[in-house]
Amino acid sequence: MSGHTHPCCKIGPSILCADLSCLADECRKMIHSGADYLHLDVMDGHFVPNLTFGHPIVKCLRPKMPDIYFDMHMMVQNPEKWVESMADAGANQYTFHIEACEDIPALCRKIQESGMRVGVGLKPGTPVETILPYSDLFDVVLIMTVEPGFGGQSFMEDMMSKVQYLRTNFPYLDIEVDGGVGPNTIDVVAEAGANMIVSGTAITGASDPSQVIALLRNSVENAIQKSQLER
Ligand SMILES: O=C(CO)[C@H](O)[C@H](O)COP(=O)(O)O
Ligand SMILES: [Fe+2]
């Protein structure tokens, strides 16, 4: 389902550790700081031991920023349950976890028919080969670089072999990374071939988020340029 041009760099801040009592202001701040999209973390207390928010909040947020791409990171059991509500709330990408899903082709079809892009997430312990039988069905593969559930954890560099494997075998795929990504870890992420960069505390906790976003983008764009010259 991906296109046939090299995917471009996109930076998607996670607002998980921002001040959620003023969610719209926090999101606007990210957009004004240069974010390409917003990564919204949905947790159900079952798939992960934490709770955040669901489609009612997304539905309230949408009219306040009609043109912003919402990537829903669905850390939930039974991800098929929330597809229609998220589409109705205005989500653009529905990223479910492969570990939480029984009928992967049916779920991908449902997401696509609802008009959203299909994302599949892999926890650190899930081998990358798990996606191979379904690789045509996804627009985005999300490689988790922390155990899902909490922001502010340490980046797992050993997940980069999954990113490298995907970039080598699927040059046009959107590859997203999430967890502990920031100025200290972006270079290995960029060199491994990820192009959709989620970053939470490193951006929302910075005194100047725009500087952090620019730094992340610079690293990824340089790596893409280098890889194209090497071809
Ligand atoms: O999915 C997540 C946690 O499960 C978050 O998106 C992620 O942790 C972002 O926060 P940080 O960059 O602080 O790790
Ligand atoms: Fe996330």
Side-chain angles (χ1 to χ4, degrees), residues 3 7 13 21 96 164:
S21 73
F96 67 91
Q164 279 156 0

Side-chain angles (χ1 to χ4, degrees), residues 21-29 31-32 38 56-70 89-90:
S21 73
C22 26
L23 182 60
D25 288 341
E26 293 282 31
C27 290
R28 278 193 206 102
K29 187 165 143 193
I31 295 155
H32 295 146
L38 292 173
I57 298 275
V58 179
K59 192 162 186 160
C60 295
L61 197 56
R62 173 50 84 201
K64 295 181 185 249
M65 46 200 76
D67 303 324
I68 301 305
Y69 186 95
F70 288 171

Side-chain angles (χ1 to χ4, degrees), residues 14 39-41 73 75 142 144 178 198:
S14 156
H39 175 90
L40 302 174
D41 292 296
H73 182 189
M75 288 167 271
L142 164 65
M144 289 303 297
D178 182 16
V198 178

Side-chain angles (χ1 to χ4, degrees), residues 11 181-183 199 202-203 206-217:
I11 310 294
V181 179
S199 175
I203 295 178
S207 54
D208 184 358
S210 65
Q211 206 180 0
V212 179
I213 291 176
L215 188 153
L216 301 178
R217 187 186 308 288

